[in-house]
Amino acid sequence: MLIFLLRRLIQACVVMAIISLISFAIQDKLGDPVQQMVGMSVSVEERNALREELGLNDSLLTQYGRFLQNALQGDLGTSYYYKEPVLDVIFDKVPATLELAFCAILLVVLIATPLGVLAAINPKHWVSRILMVITSIGLSIPIFIVAILMMYLFSIEWNLAPSFGRGQTTEVFGLWHSGLFNQDGLSHLLLPSLSLAIALMPIFTRLIRAEMMEVLQSEYIRFAWSKGLSSNRIYFIHALKNTMLPIITIGGIQAGTLVAYTILTETIFQWPGMGFLFMDAVSRVDTPLISAYLIVVGGMFVVTNTIVDLIYGLVNPTVRLASHGL
Amino acid sequence: MYWVQKDTMKIQLIILYCFSLFLWTNAHATTLRMAFDADPISLDPHEQLSEGTLQFSHLVFDPLLRWTKDGQFEARLATHWERIDDQTMRFYLRENVTFRTGHPFSADDVIYTIQRLKKSPDFRAMFDTVETVTKVNDFAIDVHTVHPNPLLLNIMAYVFPLDRLFYAGKDQIIKYGDSFASHNVSGTGPFILESRELGSKMVLNRNPNYWDAASKGNVDHIIMTPIRADSTRLAALLSDDVDFISPVSPIDIKRAKLSDDIQLVTIPSTSILLLHMNQQRREEFRDVRVREAINLAINQTLIVEKILKNYATPAGQLSHPRFLGHQEALIPKYDLDKAKQLMKQAGYEKGFRVSMMAPNNRYINDEIVAQAIAAMLAKINITVDLKTLPKAQYFKEFSLKSADIMTLGWQSDTMDSNNIFEFVIACIDEKTGMGAYNASQYCQPEIDQRIKQANREMIPEKRQRLLQEIETILYREAAIVPLYWQSIIWAAKNDVHVGDIINDQNNPYLGDLFIETR
């Protein structure tokens, strides 16, 4: 276990180092940060002086060396726009994104699991068939269309939920501004988390259905039936548990998709989270913030996959961590 | 039994009382929730010369004087002014004005502010013309210019006096790092900043001691949210989450008009869109016949009608009708046959291939306009390789002059023709900064000489002639392709009287905004 975690730590470092190198290499293509800082009428001389001060005239390699040196001391740079250390800026926005992702995952689990199970139990029922059609449509509709449609229906036409922002937040333990504990915050969460959930739900429903149908054919389930166990116990305890294994793996991989989708959802709903921050940083050519975001997200990927692997071991004790993956 | 009832009644009364109190305060506090596409990058009004900064300055500070909707000057912190001689102007200042901190406003604050402006990288080019400012008494100053300057008042509209006692000593202007002024603010303006969450929210409260008691503005609180996505911004207005938005994308206008309780307000701005044809990169563009053919092949009126839905004015010159250099006679011409003929005469009947670049998120529908232009040029056999880029990347390419044809939008800071000429068509001179945006690399000494003269010419008629002559030369030489003046589009709830407070520089004077009680 310890060796496994240590390996993962090294892996995380390598991943983040590679990401930082890539983000530095593409910096030149993102635009000119100085252009964003000054007005149109500022002279070339003035711009060059600023560029020199920022160290942008040095070669990429020199800049990267300087960045690494600072990074080793825990300083990933200062955002040009926020004028604060980039990590502070990012971690300031983390709660909003985590809450959004958490609610989306909760919705997925609460809705997709029973639907998938029901579709597996009665595969020929008309409800199951319709469900399958809906999920295949859902798989092919891009999330921004879902989000814009929901915004149009729920906030413009029916006026049921606010169209943008995070609403009121309450402070939890002095370190987390949460929107989960008051009505305003929750109503703001509704549309973004629902659109995120809708993007992820079809694949999970289909996956659970397919896995469940396979499991229901297996020997031990037939044995359970002949033993006379109640159908609820068979479906939801014995069968579902074994269905979950591949689902968790896919879930871990989907965590990446979730990050990608939060960027879109947050931009559409003006949700003040990390994804929105990133899009903003790109449009402002806030290069330190862009690099730091990519590094942090890379780190998060490694962490979620590690957690998934740990859960894997819990669900199925036959899986040995040390032999599983790196 | 009796006492129970009495107690309930008491409670009911208390509740009723509280409720009425709540209603009363609510009825009297008018809140404006607004969403614009950008927010000020800093609280320091001298850090960046940009629309966001100026909009913010009009909230928390007051200018010495400001533009009215019809292009006149209105006295604000300066009550009146007079010319002492060609190089000196005296400004009389308003008395009994205090800053947010309680410090009284006086001549020292104005002198301090102008000195700070002269140190700001973004503003100093404009204020280079001011040699010194001297104090006449506590409420009068003399501004001495380096040479006679006909545009001194236009420049003084950028002076938003700062609280000297508040800032002095810790007032460095830092563009990319932390500074006192970028996080703290003290002005005399109609609003006082309460809180600010960079990039997501800004809350302002009305200044209870505001000097302008005659203002009919009744907004007590402003909640400003920058919303970058056009569709989200409009959705926020339609769903009643905000009261006032800008800008509105032309494709959304139809939808906005469907709502009964929403009004669209639009003003043609003075900012011009144009095309540069690079004469250094392309030999063909050195031939005036080719340039004229391009000018004739592009149908500005059609672009404005079809793509911008008439939310723009077709332009045949650089000077907006409000500017001194404007000439009624110079209208955009469209004549495809003549254009083809000219191409033939120039020996390019078969046409040629050029590269073109345009931004895709800077101006209204900029990408579609660029595509339309490429299609129009195809009719005179010019094949355009069009590349559109987000503004962050585009302006880098623009400064490198990376394409044969490049799009540029220009808003004159001084609301005068000469500002456009200096930056956009003057011969490139890196030392003086002239021609900094001249991606035509066109150089016409006749024009340069007139630009310099117009900068010092104090007689309006003579100055007008100089500027108009420049437009005539540009028209004759077909040196660039003027496209159109963009309109600024605002949308608001019907009870928010935005029509009275907007202007063509997109600085809504929210201090004077009146909202009907709901």
Side-chain angles (χ1 to χ4, degrees), chain B residues 39-139:
Chain B
D39 58 339
I41 58 147
S42 165
L43 296 184
D44 187 342
H46 299 161
E47 193 174 309
Q48 188 183 63
L49 176 47
S50 66
E51 208 169 73
T53 303
L54 291 170
Q55 284 169 351
F56 174 73
S57 298
H58 278 284
L59 293 174
V60 176
F61 299 94
D62 278 305
L64 285 184
L65 50 134
R66 71 181 184 191
W67 290 97
T68 60
K69 215 171 160 179
D70 53 356
Q72 303 300 313
F73 285 116
E74 183 186 356
R76 299 302 288 171
L77 285 185
T79 49
H80 55 291
W81 43 87
E82 62 189 10
R83 202 162 265 294
I84 306 288
D85 58 55
D86 260 5
Q87 277 164 265
T88 313
M89 202 157 193
R90 181 164 296 170
F91 289 85
Y92 297 93
L93 305 173
R94 200 170 290 279
E95 296 180 33
N96 302 321
V97 175
T98 52
F99 288 98
R100 170 186 73 83
T101 48
H103 300 146
F105 162 74
S106 76
D108 293 326
D109 298 300
V110 182
I111 296 170
Y112 166 75
T113 304
I114 296 176
Q115 276 162 357
R116 190 163 187 263
L117 280 162
K118 282 175 77 69
K119 280 185 255 167
S120 157
D122 275 46
F123 287 88
R124 77 176 137 214
M126 200 192 295
F127 282 87
D128 268 350
T129 180
V130 176
E131 192 174 28
T132 51
V133 186
T134 48
K135 184 172 169 179
V136 180
N137 59 47
D138 270 354
F139 293 98

Side-chain angles (χ1 to χ4, degrees), chain A residues 211-230:
Chain A
E211 281 301 321
M212 186 90 172
M213 281 171 81
E214 208 182 304
V215 171
L216 286 179
Q217 301 299 318
S218 57
E219 293 280 314
Y220 79 99
I221 297 291
R222 284 190 207 160
F223 185 69
W225 281 118
S226 56
K227 223 173 112 184
L229 291 183
S230 73

Side-chain angles (χ1 to χ4, degrees), chain A residues 39-40 46 83 268 270 280, chain B residues 47 122 124 226 228 232 437:
Chain A
M40 290 285 273
E46 211 77 80
K83 302 173 180 188
I268 293 169
Q270 187 83 12
D280 227 23
Chain B
E47 193 174 309
D122 275 46
R124 77 176 137 214
R228 240 167 276 294
T232 312
Y437 286 83

Side-chain angles (χ1 to χ4, degrees), chain B residues 5 26 28 61 130 187 207 226 241 266 335 337 366 383 396 401 417:
Chain B
Q5 257 189 348
N26 239 20
H28 284 255
F61 299 94
V130 176
N207 180 355
D241 290 326
T266 171
D335 189 339
D337 292 332
D366 40 13
T383 315
K396 189 175 178 183
K401 303 183 177 65
S417 305

Side-chain angles (χ1 to χ4, degrees), chain B residues 115-226:
Chain B
Q115 276 162 357
R116 190 163 187 263
L117 280 162
K118 282 175 77 69
K119 280 185 255 167
S120 157
D122 275 46
F123 287 88
R124 77 176 137 214
M126 200 192 295
F127 282 87
D128 268 350
T129 180
V130 176
E131 192 174 28
T132 51
V133 186
T134 48
K135 184 172 169 179
V136 180
N137 59 47
D138 270 354
F139 293 98
I141 53 162
D142 278 347
V143 177
H144 309 274
T145 54
V146 183
H147 57 74
N149 191 326
L151 296 177
L152 186 61
L153 285 180
N154 307 39
I155 291 167
M156 295 309 271
Y158 284 90
V159 179
F160 293 83
L162 305 182
D163 185 345
R164 183 179 58 98
L165 295 173
F166 180 76
Y167 288 99
K170 36 193 172 176
D171 59 356
Q172 3 29 334
I173 300 167
I174 304 176
K175 283 230 167 236
Y176 48 87
D178 219 354
S179 70
F180 175 77
S182 67
H183 290 286
N184 298 282
V185 64
S186 170
T188 59
F191 294 97
I192 291 170
L193 183 76
E194 184 186 287
S195 67
R196 172 176 182 247
E197 206 181 308
L198 195 56
S200 37
K201 198 178 178 185
M202 191 157 84
V203 181
L204 300 121
N205 294 328
R206 186 145 197 114
N207 180 355
N209 305 316
Y210 191 47
W211 58 268
D212 190 3
S215 165
K216 60 176 183 165
N218 70 342
V219 175
D220 299 304
H221 307 287
I222 297 182
I223 301 171
M224 226 180 122
T225 322

Side-chain angles (χ1 to χ4, degrees), chain A residues 28-31 36-37 39-42 46-47 53-54 81 83 151 155 159 163 268 270 280 284-285, chain B residues 39 47-48 122 124 175-177 198 226-228 232 235-236 239 241 255 392-393 396 413 423 437:
Chain A
D28 218 32
K29 298 273 170 288
L30 291 174
Q36 304 296 311
M37 285 180 210
M40 290 285 273
S41 53
V42 170
E46 211 77 80
R47 283 165 204 256
E53 268 180 70
L54 287 167
Y81 175 62
K83 302 173 180 188
M151 185 195 282
S155 47
N159 232 325
S163 56
I268 293 169
Q270 187 83 12
D280 227 23
R284 291 182 198 283
V285 203
Chain B
D39 58 339
E47 193 174 309
Q48 188 183 63
D122 275 46
R124 77 176 137 214
K175 283 230 167 236
Y176 48 87
L198 195 56
I227 301 185
R228 240 167 276 294
T232 312
S239 63
D241 290 326
R255 174 67 190 85
Q393 282 100 305
K396 189 175 178 183
D413 288 333
F423 281 99
Y437 286 83

Side-chain angles (χ1 to χ4, degrees), chain A residues 188-206:
Chain A
H188 278 85
L189 249 171
L190 185 72
L191 291 186
S193 58
L194 205 57
S195 7
L196 251 187
I198 287 177
L200 293 174
M201 245 185 275
I203 190 163
F204 279 96
T205 313
R206 292 184 79 93

